Amino acid sequence: MTMQQFHTSENVQKWLQFARDDLAAILYPNICGTLGDSYDAFGYVNNVDSFTAMQKTSIRWMGSLAMYFAASKIKSKRNITDERASLHEALDKFESEGLQDGKMAYLSGVDCPDMGDVAVFGVLHSVKGLNAHDDAIGSRGGHVKDWYDRMHVQVVGEEAE
């Protein structure tokens, strides 16, 4: 695969757009559809050494509340009534159209990933550790999980947990 094919083919552009416009937008309400999920998503602030305990607490509580309301706006704008179902529909599309129901190891159609694979993986990997990741990858299984595991080795350099 040439560098040109890696990032500019029509197929790559399709899956870059899917990752950016569909998957990322659908994942957002999944990571903060409830106040509890929003609170969990802000858990990273506890690892920021430069924040005081008071800052960590206020950022986590106010941030999670703001994220929850923003997710509600996104759900309304995109006419999402069930964020989990929307996520699974998007992953079904990825599985059937992109991975051709497991016939292809990567979106590229060859034995190595292309930029479309990297983009979709990046969106899914960005929510690792949150319930949305477990729902999208861990409990789903099948061709998407197999692809994700292959991509994890390619991008991260080790087996997925």
Side-chain angles (χ1 to χ4, degrees):
M1 171 184 316
T2 67
M3 186 56 75
Q4 185 77 7
Q5 292 167 320
F6 176 80
H7 64 80
T8 60
S9 75
E10 187 176 313
N11 191 54
V12 166
Q13 295 306 310
K14 173 184 177 175
W15 295 108
L16 283 172
Q17 183 176 0
F18 169 80
R20 179 187 61 239
D21 297 341
D22 296 332
L23 188 57
I26 292 167
L27 262 176
Y28 188 79
N30 277 274
I31 63 172
C32 48
T34 68
L35 285 172
D37 285 343
S38 295
Y39 185 80
D40 290 344
F42 264 86
Y44 74 92
V45 300
N46 290 335
N47 299 324
V48 179
D49 294 333
S50 60
F51 291 160
T52 65
M54 182 61 157
Q55 287 174 317
K56 290 176 183 181
T57 301
S58 62
I59 289 169
R60 192 159 187 196
W61 281 103
M62 288 188 291
S64 60
L65 188 62
M67 280 180 67
Y68 173 75
F69 286 120
S72 297
K73 286 183 83 169
I74 289 171
K75 283 175 60 174
S76 176
K77 179 181 176 183
R78 296 183 64 93
N79 296 319
I80 297 172
T81 55
D82 182 342
E83 60 271 9
R84 286 188 75 221
S86 293
L87 176 59
H88 287 280
E89 287 170 15
L91 292 172
D92 288 345
K93 175 183 177 178
F94 173 70
E95 186 172 57
S96 65
E97 294 178 26
L99 300 176
Q100 297 180 2
D101 293 317
K103 293 179 184 131
M104 294 190 359
Y106 299 104
L107 296 171
S108 63
V110 295
D111 62 352
C112 61
D114 63 16
M115 195 62 195
D117 289 290
V118 173
V120 174
F121 175 79
V123 170
L124 292 170
H125 189 68
S126 71
V127 296
K128 186 175 184 228
L130 301 176
N131 290 336
H133 186 271
D134 294 339
D135 189 36
I137 302 301
S139 62
R140 181 181 177 88
H143 304 303
V144 171
K145 171 81 166 87
D146 295 341
W147 167 86
Y148 183 88
D149 290 344
R150 284 190 296 276
M151 285 300 298
H152 199 277
V153 170
Q154 292 284 334
V155 175
V156 180
E158 59 188 33
E159 297 284 327
E161 298 171 6

